[in-house]
Amino acid sequence: MTHNTGPVLHAKGISKFFPGTIALDDVELRLESGEVHALLGENGAGKSTLIKCLTGAYQRDGGTIRLDGQEVAPHSTAESQKLGIGTVYQEVNLLPNLTVAENLYLGRQPMRWGLVARRKMNAMARESLAGYGLDIDPAEPLTTYSVAIQQVVAVARAVEMSGKVLILDEPTASLDRDEVQLLFSVIRQLRERGLAVVFITHFLDQVFEISDRATILRNGRVVGTRVLADVTQKDVVTLMLGRQLEAQVHERKAAAAGGTLIEVEGLGKRGMLEPISLALREGEVVGLAGLLGSGRTETANLIFGAVQADQGRILLRGKEISVSNPREAVSHRFALCPEDRKTEGIVGDLSVRDNIILARQAAQGWMRPIPRAEVNEIAERYVKALDIRLASLDMPIRLLSGGNQQKALLARWLATNPDFLILDEPTRGIDVGAHAEIVALIEQLRADGMALLVASSELEELVAYSTRVVVLRDRRAVRELSGDLITPQNIVHAITEDDALPGEVA
Amino acid sequence: MIRSTHLPLLVTLATFILAYALCVYAYPSMLSTRVVANLLTDNAFLGIAAVGMTFVILSGGIDLSIGSVIAFTGVFLAVILRDTSVHPLIAFMLVLTITTAFGAAMGGLIHYLEMPPFIVTLAGMFLARGAAYVLSTESVPITHEFYDVLQGLYWKAPSGGRFRLIGGVMVLTFLVGVLVAHRTRFGQNVYALGGGGQTAKLMGSPIASTTVGIYAISGGLAGLAGIVFSLYTSAGYSLATVGVELDAIAAVVIGGTLLTGGYGYVAGTFFGILIMGLIQTYIVFDGTLSSWWTKIVIGGLLFAFIVLQKGLTWATQARRRAATGFADPS
């Protein structure tokens, strides 16, 4: 690679305004060739907006972008690809109905006599992917392969199309540990080749593992660019949040729990979850721990009636109740905040206000509309209480950042005044600040006497707020931990060790 | 190598072979080149229109205007040949230009105004039908020696079947359609659009020109189907071919193309057309059945294919879950 003296890409003074908000304010980003540059910031800090301005998905309102010293102004993603800026998104942006090779070469297929040379295309795809350590049949449909492999195909496409700057927007969010390593080895190869790689993620460990430098955004401004070898995670988090994170020491409050609220007895469904029994008292947070696929989500869905159980029963304050569908669950003052907020939670095109009021209105029945003034009052109260950041209650919820969507979803269920709240991965895909707020909120709700069941893959988080933790493995409850026994180590033991008592294994 | 994405096509093919075998079992005389030749001739206009519809449906759209466009083309040709001395070939060029431009305009509206294809082409359906009425409300016969020449062109198979020009035009249209769909960049872009418009856009696929092109093709092929229909009936009538768009959609779906777009084959539509024609032929051979039985059997077949497609979608998703190792896609 020839090393120019200047940066590969230099964006300067980038500004972007949306109605009511300044999304980017005089932002500068310098990318050198052969570096992995992390772009960090809370949700809503402006990372995505900056990326969209660089790739031409948005038109910037001010500033200049220089690529190899030449000023550029891409008007579409296609144009920025031609200029040399390629992007890979969190949700693999490839077409599931096409083959791997067709995806790789869409728009630049090798031609012969005016027709697409499919055999040549497949051979080229196989060779190209072999360069990334993948030996797969490119004539198979894309969906034959795992998300990680699809992600690598997306990277290969972006690199071949552009070849100067590669932007990875949350590429690891849906990958497991081994798959992340596969992707990282690909990123390292690209760095060797002299590409500038922009890496966006919420996982700070991954940032420090792979990145050379980081630019940190807060509220649409750059608060600093750091060489990561010189700083600690804490420094970076401090820059992101603009305040020292409060010491992460959680004094477990005495379980000032009230009477037993819910008893689940032998609830299960064949092929989905082995019968599970647990009891919750008012003012108690029970955590559900376990690996992906261990039955956390299934437990939550069975108790809420989203999936009908084929055995077992549920008792509410000692009386057996029927919960065969979510409507019944809601009528018993249950609430469930689902894991996948995009597909199961938010209604993207409805306003934030309508999204918040949805469950409350549904519980009351459509024949009795909640008065407008009350709707506004409720929505405003929760927006304030949960610190949901928005320009107006009327904006469509899909325009909010992930963390704020999650909080709005939580507000929806809190608005129904539930006695029993089930949260499934309440902190997935949201940033550090919103994360801490949601943890604090769970603590608050518990103190107010609500019973909560929280499924989460983040052990530290579970340890922070749970009064008891039920550990699941292979769709079965294997251990219940309470009091001082709730530590990340003990949970990990319960997940991994068959019968070892906590503390037995070093 | 057989891949799961080929399955609907194979099912269609198997259905056709099975149906033909049943027909021949009942009426051995159906196994003749005469029946095959008539199948091609009688369904020529529908087949040509269905090729265009395949592209539209592959892209995730729908075109409700083609029946009206066929009728308009017929009336337009009949009127222009009756009232002027323009040569039919020039009239053909003229009408193909009009219908292609009409389709392109609908495509442009769909893309630039972000309107659902259903509404836009519904409007197009009324417009084209209305335009046909304006030209003439009565059936206008076409009498022109060039038409007689074209209608007289056929190749007679040794065993007696007459393969006429219009059947050949349909087969040629299908061959070109297959080539365009699978071996050109435009065809790949059609599939990309059907797989996900937003994703295709992010991948740099030219959405605008593809959408306009798709509906232009559909309009143009509806025009060609209209020409073929006028050759077939020697007349132009504004009330003709009502509901042909729905027959075309049925043929496309029976041919294994997913109505939601992205999956399917032009060749499948060919067999979809043949299956539908075969049912009709069987009823003619039987002689006692009401011709409405055609509709009932086609309705049943449509249901069967929709269920099959749903099943395949489920199977694919189950396999995807197995491949990624997640209990649920999250």
Side-chain angles (χ1 to χ4, degrees):
Chain A
M1 276 312 285
T2 50
H3 283 270
N4 299 349
T5 42
V8 179
L9 182 137
H10 191 183
K12 211 171 153 188
I14 303 293
S15 298
K16 178 73 192 171
F17 309 108
F18 288 121
T21 47
I22 301 174
L24 291 176
D25 184 10
D26 194 21
V27 167
E28 182 173 8
L29 181 68
R30 271 177 77 108
L31 301 176
E32 310 291 340
S33 77
E35 76 161 345
V36 178
H37 195 113
L39 196 56
L40 300 173
E42 281 196 86
N43 284 322
K47 292 169 302 196
S48 300
T49 314
L50 177 59
I51 293 312
K52 285 181 174 159
C53 286
L54 292 182
T55 57
Y58 286 165
Q59 296 309 307
R60 59 184 186 271
D61 294 322
T64 56
I65 300 172
R66 282 173 188 281
L67 197 64
D68 282 336
Q70 297 285 320
E71 195 167 327
V72 295
H75 287 279
S76 67
T77 40
E79 206 180 322
S80 72
Q81 271 177 1
K82 282 203 196 83
L83 289 169
I85 305 172
T87 315
V88 174
Y89 300 90
Q90 170 184 353
E91 291 96 14
V92 181
N93 263 298
L94 295 175
L95 292 155
N97 59 328
L98 300 187
T99 68
V100 171
E102 285 171 340
N103 267 297
L104 207 46
Y105 291 104
L106 183 70
R108 55 195 183 99
Q109 295 92 339
M111 305 297 273
R112 207 167 61 147
W113 300 322
L115 296 176
V116 175
R118 299 191 73 92
R119 194 165 301 168
K120 187 174 176 207
M121 185 168 85
N122 286 336
M124 283 165 66
R126 187 182 283 274
E127 195 182 334
S128 162
L129 292 174
Y132 294 95
L134 287 187
D135 181 24
I136 59 175
D137 179 2
E140 283 284 334
L142 181 75
T143 46
T144 320
Y145 300 105
S146 73
V147 178
I149 289 176
Q150 295 181 23
Q151 197 72 264
V152 173
V153 174
V155 168
R157 179 182 161 85
V159 169
E160 289 193 15
M161 303 247 344
S162 34
K164 284 179 192 165
V165 176
L166 177 66
I167 299 170
L168 300 170
D169 191 355
E170 301 250 15
T172 57
S174 45
L175 304 187
D176 71 23
R177 187 169 291 276
D178 290 342
E179 293 175 330
V180 167
Q181 288 310 319
L182 171 69
L183 186 66
F184 278 7
S185 70
V186 169
I187 295 178
R188 288 194 188 96
Q189 273 180 39
L190 297 176
R191 173 164 59 190
E192 298 295 310
R193 283 203 232 162
L195 256 80
V197 180
V198 178
F199 182 51
I200 302 174
T201 184
H202 284 121
F203 303 111
L204 281 181
D205 289 340
Q206 293 180 358
V207 169
F208 277 82
E209 184 181 342
I210 191 85
S211 309
D212 305 303
R213 292 196 302 155
T215 291
I216 297 118
L217 292 170
R218 192 197 325 146
N219 292 333
R221 290 163 184 266
V222 172
V223 288
T225 298
R226 296 285 184 274
V227 176
L228 287 170
D230 302 345
V231 292
T232 65
Q233 287 204 14
K234 198 167 176 195
D235 298 334
V236 171
V237 172
T238 309
L239 277 172
M240 282 165 66
L241 298 183
R243 57 177 188 261
Q244 286 282 346
L245 263 191
E246 286 149 48
Q248 293 268 352
V249 183
H250 295 272
E251 281 180 46
R252 198 175 312 282
K253 286 153 200 109
T260 303
L261 184 74
I262 306 276
E263 287 167 88
V264 173
E265 289 182 1
L267 196 68
K269 184 176 171 66
R270 196 185 306 270
M272 195 172 177
L273 189 72
E274 301 278 318
I276 189 172
S277 297
L278 54 91
L280 279 102
R281 290 184 295 173
E282 286 166 358
E284 197 176 41
V285 179
V286 172
L288 285 175
L291 298 173
L292 204 59
S294 62
R296 295 185 318 237
T297 299
E298 289 80 356
T299 306
N301 285 342
L302 281 176
I303 295 178
F304 194 62
V307 176
Q308 207 168 347
D310 58 11
Q311 51 187 308
R313 56 185 195 145
I314 298 176
L315 285 77
L316 176 69
R317 297 193 179 91
K319 272 196 222 112
E320 184 170 345
I321 55 167
S322 145
V323 184
S324 55
N325 59 48
R327 273 185 78 86
E328 280 190 283
V330 170
S331 73
H332 294 303
R333 304 180 85 91
F334 289 13
L336 169 71
C337 220
E339 174 180 12
D340 191 343
R341 60 176 174 263
K342 279 224 180 73
T343 58
E344 295 171 19
I346 64 165
V347 187
D349 286 326
L350 283 187
S351 70
V352 177
R353 178 195 295 118
D354 292 338
N355 266 287
I356 289 178
I357 211 69
L358 196 61
R360 168 87 163 249
Q361 178 69 71
Q364 215 177 72
W366 295 106
M367 296 308 292
R368 294 166 47 215
I370 301 170
R372 184 73 174 182
E374 199 184 329
V375 170
N376 276 335
E377 191 268 323
I378 291 169
E380 271 162 25
R381 175 149 46 95
Y382 284 107
V383 164
K384 207 164 163 191
L386 303 186
D387 192 20
I388 302 173
R389 271 159 245 168
L390 38 65
S392 119
L393 277 172
D394 289 314
M395 66 195 277
I397 197 165
R398 65 187 154 78
L399 297 180
L400 293 187
S401 66
N404 283 319
Q405 285 180 3
Q406 188 68 35
K407 285 196 267 185
L409 206 52
L410 206 54
R412 172 194 296 175
W413 289 108
L414 292 178
T416 62
N417 294 320
D419 294 333
F420 176 41
L421 178 62
I422 307 170
L423 300 172
D424 194 0
E425 294 284 358
T427 55
R428 163 156 299 176
I430 65 174
D431 60 69
V432 182
H435 191 284
E437 285 167 27
I438 285 184
V439 170
L441 182 72
I442 292 172
E443 189 64 27
Q444 177 65 41
L445 294 170
R446 186 196 66 79
D448 291 345
M450 198 182 282
L452 293 101
L453 183 66
V454 187
S456 176
S457 51
E458 296 201 27
L459 299 185
E460 266 87 12
E461 179 189 310
L462 279 173
V463 170
Y465 50 61
S466 301
T467 44
R468 279 184 294 140
V469 171
V470 173
V471 182
L472 297 159
R473 186 180 61 229
D474 298 335
R475 303 171 182 275
R476 203 153 52 85
V478 289
R479 177 156 301 138
E480 187 171 319
L481 302 166
S482 62
D484 292 337
L485 285 177
I486 305 178
T487 63
Q489 291 82 356
N490 282 347
I491 297 175
V492 169
H493 285 159
I495 290 172
T496 53
E497 300 295 319
D498 228 340
D499 293 307
L501 287 167
E504 272 187 3
V505 182
Chain B
M1 184 175 170
I2 293 169
R3 302 181 192 280
S4 65
T5 44
H6 293 157
L7 206 54
L9 182 62
L10 294 175
V11 171
T12 305
L13 195 58
T15 310
F16 173 70
I17 292 168
L18 187 73
Y20 205 15
L22 281 175
C23 288
V24 170
Y25 177 74
Y27 302 101
S29 58
M30 275 185 79
L31 187 64
S32 73
T33 50
R34 197 167 304 196
V35 169
V36 175
N38 284 346
L39 259 184
L40 295 179
T41 308
D42 296 340
N43 295 292
F45 79 98
L46 182 59
I48 292 167
V51 173
M53 187 64 88
T54 310
F55 280 98
V56 172
I57 292 181
L58 276 178
S59 77
I62 199 93
D63 188 347
L64 299 178
S65 71
I66 60 174
S68 303
V69 171
I70 292 172
F72 168 80
T73 306
V75 177
F76 182 87
L77 288 174
V79 169
I80 212 168
L81 294 178
R82 181 190 64 188
D83 298 348
T84 70
S85 57
V86 170
H87 190 271
L89 273 180
I90 296 179
F92 290 170
M93 302 302 267
L94 200 60
V95 80
L96 284 180
T97 311
I98 293 172
T99 54
T100 306
F102 182 70
M106 288 195 298
L109 283 179
I110 290 163
H111 177 77
Y112 290 107
L113 301 187
E114 293 176 24
M115 294 290 286
F118 188 95
I119 295 299
V120 174
T121 59
L122 187 70
M125 176 179 108
F126 286 117
L127 272 175
R129 184 71 67 183
Y133 283 132
V134 168
L135 288 176
S136 169
T137 50
E138 282 156 37
S139 178
V140 183
I142 300 176
T143 47
H144 194 285
E145 58 264 37
F146 186 68
Y147 259 66
D148 299 335
V149 171
L150 291 182
Q151 284 162 344
L153 285 177
Y154 60 84
W155 173 72
K156 192 168 177 194
S159 47
R162 288 179 190 205
F163 290 89
R164 293 185 182 279
L165 173 73
I166 57 174
V169 172
M170 172 179 78
V171 171
L172 194 69
T173 308
F174 268 103
L175 289 177
V176 173
V178 168
L179 214 57
V180 169
H182 303 293
R183 299 296 295 271
T184 65
R185 287 192 176 164
F186 172 78
Q188 292 278 289
N189 287 332
V190 172
Y191 278 92
L193 192 56
Q198 197 55 38
T199 306
K201 191 175 166 189
L202 284 172
M203 287 173 79
S205 178
I207 303 298
S209 63
T210 307
T211 308
V212 172
I214 288 164
Y215 287 90
I217 286 177
S218 180
L221 286 180
L224 183 60
I227 294 171
V228 164
F229 190 70
S230 76
L231 281 167
Y232 182 58
T233 59
S234 294
Y237 185 32
S238 47
L239 272 177
T241 60
V242 171
V244 159
E245 57 278 349
L246 303 181
D247 290 336
I249 293 170
V252 172
V253 171
I254 292 176
T257 298
L258 214 58
L259 256 184
T260 44
Y263 298 88
Y265 299 94
V266 174
T269 304
F270 183 68
F271 291 106
I273 290 284
L274 290 187
I275 289 172
M276 287 168 66
L278 201 59
I279 297 165
Q280 221 138 16
T281 313
Y282 179 89
I283 284 161
V284 170
F285 263 74
D286 184 275
T288 59
L289 289 171
S290 151
S291 68
W292 289 104
W293 277 100
T294 317
K295 305 279 176 197
I296 292 173
V297 176
I298 290 173
L301 268 182
L302 268 179
F303 272 118
F305 272 84
I306 290 165
V307 170
L308 172 83
Q309 289 180 352
K310 200 72 203 170
L312 281 178
T313 315
W314 277 332
T316 319
Q317 274 165 0
R319 203 179 39 154
R320 191 177 317 168
R321 277 199 291 276
T324 51
F326 288 112
D328 53 333
S330 53

